[in-house]
Amino acid sequence: MTRVPGPTIADVARAAEVSTATVSHALNGTGRVAEATRRRVRAVATALGYGGAPGTGPRTRPRTRTLGLAVTTFAGSPWDYVAVHYFSRWLTAATAAAHARGYALTTLPADRGAEALWHTLAVDGMLLLDSPAGDPVLRALRARGIPVVFDGRPAAPRPEDTWVDNDHAATTREVLDHLAASGARRVALHGGYGGEHYTRAVTEAYEGWCAERGRPPLPVRFDPDDTGGHAFDALFSGSAGPSGGAAADAVYSLYEPGGRQALAAAARHGLRVPEDLLLVCASEDPWYGSAPVPVSTVTLRPEPAARAAVAALLAVVEEPRAAVPGQRTVPAGLLVRASSRRPG
């Protein structure tokens, strides 16, 4: 236990993302301050132990030795990201890496309903996975000066930012070249759902690959609720585009449920995998390896990515002047199975 200097009104203002004048009005019950803002400022001041807040005084606090983790791609809605194999494995590896260095790891919910949480969270640093453009969680953490390391390139990285990511352009070209070598001529990309760097990078690489070969891109928008794969109906029937065309003969799906959706659609249209349709899915789900026709997958290697992110964050926390910003690249891997190898 160590006695630390009490927070100032400026600390409260930064954490609550308001001006010092607003803090003063909110705590003193003066001025024209929205009730929601007044409640938030008071909650932040109380959590920080600000001496000017009602019922607070100097407090003695230990260094937390705690890291936080949040997936903020769809922050604001209470979705269960732990049910996704990539995030589940990433979280497990990050927890082990943090514990090995003597730190606890707190996993935060996706739901931002309790807004004060991000303004009062007591952590030494945060791991943000798939942070989107305009991420309010990142804004709150930056305002408080809490170190952050990202899994996935942030939307607008600063010179001092650090992140861990794969080379998505190289991986996409590897997948597409493999499908072409297996006989594919009309490869559809099943993605376009998230706003994170992963989706944008893969889509750009796919469109570039198609342009180089004079092939029209065949985008299919992923929908997590489309369990029957109805988004594929036009492509699998050969009626895609304003004037129709030949049916897609291969699919690269970017999200874990996408491979199952493509298989459901193929079965409905009477397409055999791999004889009529080649399939690759980016997923860590072990089911794909044991499916009736084992599905080729791209692994983003969550365990080494998590370990690299924790190591980078602790470098920023413990030796900020020696920390080297920028990207740490973890190679992805294509696991080729029967679904993307055409017989003969």
Side-chain angles (χ1 to χ4, degrees), residues 13 30 68 91 93 96 116 122 195 220 225 248 271 291 305 328 342:
T30 59
L91 193 160
V220 180
D225 298 321
L271 299 176
R328 312 300 196 258
R342 191 157 284 153

Side-chain angles (χ1 to χ4, degrees), residues 160-319:
E160 68 273 17
D161 282 343
T162 301
W163 63 92
V164 177
D165 207 351
N166 313 102
D167 187 338
H168 299 300
T171 302
T172 301
R173 287 180 172 273
E174 180 184 3
V175 170
L176 298 175
D177 287 344
H178 164 67
L179 290 172
S182 296
R185 294 295 176 266
R186 297 170 299 281
V187 183
L189 182 70
H190 188 208
Y193 179 69
E196 73 285 351
H197 174 70
Y198 165 64
T199 299
R200 297 195 306 272
V202 173
T203 301
E204 289 174 5
Y206 166 75
E207 292 174 345
W209 185 89
C210 290
E212 290 169 8
R213 288 155 181 78
R215 301 179 185 180
L218 301 174
V220 180
R221 186 166 181 82
F222 171 78
D223 180 344
D225 298 321
D226 183 19
T227 55
H230 293 284
F232 291 101
D233 286 348
L235 280 178
F236 287 177
S237 64
S239 59
S243 59
D249 60 5
V251 170
Y252 178 27
S253 185
L254 303 190
Y255 301 101
E256 185 166 288
R260 294 173 185 262
Q261 295 178 5
L263 290 171
R268 192 172 59 255
H269 286 268
L271 299 176
R272 301 165 300 164
V273 176
E275 291 84 355
D276 305 314
L277 181 73
L278 301 173
L279 175 63
V280 176
C281 180
S283 175
E284 314 297 335
D285 187 348
W287 178 84
Y288 285 115
S290 59
V293 176
V295 176
S296 297
T297 55
V298 168
T299 174
L300 302 181
R301 304 196 187 281
E303 288 84 4
R307 291 191 290 268
V310 170
L313 180 57
L314 291 181
V316 176
V317 169
E318 297 177 349
E319 297 183 78

